[in-house]
Amino acid sequence: MKKTLFDKVWDSHVVKSIKDGPDVLFIDRHMIHEVTSPVAFLGLKKRGLPVLYPERTFATADHNTPTINQHLPVSDPLSRNQLKALEENAKNHGISYWGLGHKKNGIVHVVGPEYGITQPGATIVCGDSHTSTHGAFGAIAFGIGTSEVEMVLSTQCIMQPKPKKMLITIDGSLNEGVTPKDVALFIISKLTTSGATGYFVEYAGEVFRDLSMEGRMTVCNLSIEMGARGGMVAPDQKTYEYIKEREFTPKGKEWDKAMIYWKTLYTDEGSIFDKELTFDGSEIDPMITFGTNPGMGMSITKAIPSAKDIEGGASTYAKSLAYMGFSEGESMIGKSIDYVFIGSCTNGRIEDFRAFASVIKGYKRASNVTAWLVPGSHKVLQAIKDEGLLEILENAEFKLREPGCSACLAMNEDKIPAGKYAVSTSNRNFEGRQGPGARTLLASPLVAAAAAITGKITDPRTLI
Amino acid sequence: MAYDSFKKLKSTVVPLPIENVDTDQIIPARFLKATERKGFGDNLFRDWRYNQDNTLKLDFVLNNPIYSGKILVGEHNFGSGSSREHAAWAVYDYGFRCVVSSFFADIFKNNCLNVGVLPVQVSSDFLKIIFQSVDQDPKTDLTVDLPSQKIMINSTGESEIFNINSYKKENMLNGYDDIDYLNNIKAEISNFASNTPL
Ligand code: SF4
């Protein structure tokens, strides 16, 4: 029987299948953070249950952490309390904990791959929908709710029906100025935010083969924004080179043993998917969103579509444009912006800072722009310094903040004020996502950089 | 037993005919700082319900006294975005026991089932009929019958059968959750764990 990459990993993790019900799926790696785990630990306590395999769970603080003065006590008492709860829960149950200030601290989906927790062929879950990021390594990785966090802590399993399978193939090559973020926003704009609901996606074709691991992570990260549970790319030489010698990857004989498994992780020729889509890499432009969900994206040079050209209800569309303060048919280029946010588990890795720096080098930050540059982890922060990017940023009047989720979800103080426009490299442009009333324009680090130095929406290709 | 069992619910509804309602709207991130499951209902649809100065937005349906009930009727792609189970908690804590839509986002639907809110997916046509009925008479009530998997508009008798897998149905009917189930098969799990490659 021919199997897809997804089938191979899923099927080998099924402890038990329930008739007309879900599969009991074994979870290899579990990542937790302060926001979606405390109630799960409380549940364990109420039921008197231990953590079954504490060595399979990893805790980091990220969602709720300040991005300046991290050495000082967290000022918001609620956030402080939540961080403390994570620390205590991790300690009480023997779970490794990379809290605020720890040198391995960072956004959960950035540090997982950095330390080799993320491995091909693994099942990985976290109480965060962007867990799909780890699929870049050929893992099945997806977000779960807090009840499921409790399940994984107490039994290392969750119960889910096997999703349907979708194959997205993009061949050809990408044009200059087009980044992995644009590829993802392009796909989502074609599929809509619900187009892949119920599916698990495999990305294949030259474009994904050619992407770096960071680029694959960006694309897999955004799988959830088209409704998919997750997305994955078959592991290859690039994958193995990336993970080799990282702290939690197998070493020596164990590595050789793992390699035997990893080499089986590809989709057999002739396998059947429930849905297949094909695009050409050369049709993708730098993208930007104009509405209040990630499916409302378009080529940066185009005009905002009118309601009659899109799927879905006209009233919802009108509500969305009204929130953004935009009208149908307007061009996005030249619109004035107020904030730029570089960061998040989507575009907060070193490659993203390199891309940003490549555009702003030699320019100055526009005076009307407030820029928040937030590395995804301490490791990224260190690399920015080591590679000399910090100097480039500072010369252009940009300041670097400390790692965390920051304005991606605006749980800490990093909130975009009501009515202001933010060009953001994060993943969600929902109403209020970056602060009550904030207006988010999702884009790549290159588009964000072009906006940061010109103060308005600018095609980065005119600057590079 | 993690929540009250669900068998048959007869109730008026709160209509929310907006597509792609994401979980950031259902409960914004700044209200996720609790370490206990308490008080989330107060912040359900916070930014649609309240102005920034905490006064009520009178045009929002939850602030309209004409509409009430234990059934929330949403539009296509309800519950997209963030995996926060807090969204399902907020729906439950506010007093809803059932959400009706023509299409649910995956994680939200799963979370609902795990906390005792029944997600009922109906056809777009039937959803339209529900909205029209409620539009004509805000006191329209529905019966959601889990054992027979049927949803009915009581005044007209129009109804539709909905899907739910028999395992989840059993759980909802009895108020069981997956944690109970998994803890009962721990021996099988540890046996499996000792043979995993990673
Ligand atoms: S950066 Fe944003 S999307 Fe990523 S884990 Fe943090 S809050 Fe979630």
Side-chain angles (χ1 to χ4, degrees), chain A residues 155-371:
Chain A
T155 69
Q156 206 60 38
C157 288
I158 58 163
M159 304 183 69
Q160 296 242 337
K162 189 174 176 179
K164 289 183 284 186
K165 290 162 287 182
M166 183 186 289
L167 178 68
I168 298 181
T169 309
I170 308 188
D171 280 318
S173 53
L174 299 177
N175 294 319
E176 201 196 351
V178 177
T179 71
K181 178 65 161 287
D182 303 302
V183 174
L185 287 177
F186 171 84
I187 300 171
I188 305 164
S189 76
K190 296 282 176 199
L191 267 87
T192 79
T193 50
S194 58
T197 303
Y199 293 88
F200 213 97
V201 177
E202 179 176 343
Y203 299 101
E206 272 168 85
V207 162
F208 300 108
R209 288 285 124 230
D210 290 348
L211 289 186
S212 65
M213 289 314 294
E214 284 85 354
R216 293 178 190 176
M217 283 188 248
T218 299
V219 176
C220 288
N221 172 284
L222 288 163
S223 305
I224 180 74
E225 305 309 337
M226 48 184 169
R229 245 332 170 58
M232 63 203 302
V233 177
D236 58 10
Q237 205 47 40
K238 243 183 235 174
T239 317
Y240 309 132
E241 270 159 31
Y242 181 99
I243 62 172
K244 205 168 170 109
E245 303 303 333
R246 300 209 180 231
E247 185 174 337
F248 289 93
T249 38
K251 311 280 172 339
K253 277 210 179 67
E254 291 299 312
W255 172 271
D256 298 337
K257 220 173 92 195
M259 264 307 227
I260 297 173
Y261 170 49
W262 293 339
K263 292 277 190 190
T264 67
L265 300 176
Y266 55 85
T267 290
D268 296 333
E269 206 156 317
S271 304
I272 312 278
F273 287 84
D274 300 286
K275 196 168 184 176
E276 296 192 29
L277 296 169
T278 308
F279 302 104
D280 190 291
S282 64
E283 57 178 310
I284 307 174
D285 273 338
M287 300 282 294
I288 194 157
T289 64
F290 56 90
T292 53
N293 72 56
M296 299 175 80
M298 59 178 216
S299 156
I300 193 166
T301 56
K302 296 240 168 79
I304 296 174
S306 55
K308 64 177 188 340
D309 300 327
I310 57 124
E311 261 182 64
S315 63
T316 305
Y317 189 72
K319 179 179 185 298
S320 175
L321 286 194
Y323 180 87
M324 293 303 294
F326 294 155
S327 312
E328 297 175 12
E330 277 182 324
S331 157
M332 290 293 283
I333 294 279
K335 281 186 180 299
S336 175
I337 59 114
D338 311 290
Y339 281 75
V340 167
F341 171 60
I342 310 291
S344 86
C345 58
T346 308
N347 284 122
R349 280 172 282 268
I350 185 64
E351 200 168 83
D352 304 311
F353 285 88
R354 282 185 203 133
F356 183 82
S358 74
V359 176
I360 59 113
K361 191 174 180 177
Y363 291 92
K364 293 264 184 270
R365 177 176 52 81
S367 55
N368 62 318
V369 171
T370 305

Side-chain angles (χ1 to χ4, degrees), chain A residues 63 107 109 128 130 344-345 405 408-409 427 433:
Chain A
H63 281 61
I107 302 172
H109 312 309
D128 183 285
H130 293 97
S344 86
C345 58
C405 294
C408 173
L409 89 166
N427 40 58
R433 169 79 178 185

Side-chain angles (χ1 to χ4, degrees), chain A residues 64 73-85, chain B residues 33:
Chain A
N64 214 343
V74 175
S75 56
D76 174 16
L78 289 174
S79 302
R80 197 167 61 229
N81 193 29
Q82 212 169 39
L83 292 164
K84 202 171 114 227
Chain B
K33 295 188 182 186

Side-chain angles (χ1 to χ4, degrees), chain B residues 6-69:
Chain B
F6 188 113
K7 291 196 172 65
K8 199 175 193 171
L9 176 67
K10 182 172 176 290
S11 170
T12 50
V13 310
V14 176
L16 189 65
I18 299 172
E19 289 165 53
N20 303 319
V21 169
D22 60 79
T23 54
D24 273 84
Q25 309 316 315
I26 299 175
I27 187 153
R30 59 188 195 283
F31 299 108
L32 308 183
K33 295 188 182 186
T35 51
E36 287 173 276
R37 196 190 140 174
K38 263 208 312 238
F40 289 107
D42 298 342
N43 296 315
L44 176 71
F45 291 112
R46 179 77 201 193
D47 292 338
W48 286 357
R49 232 165 114 195
Y50 295 94
N51 292 306
Q52 288 212 29
D53 60 5
N54 291 331
T55 54
L56 292 179
K57 289 188 175 173
L58 293 175
D59 56 351
F60 185 58
V61 66
L62 288 188
N63 296 327
N64 186 341
I66 299 177
Y67 301 105
S68 63

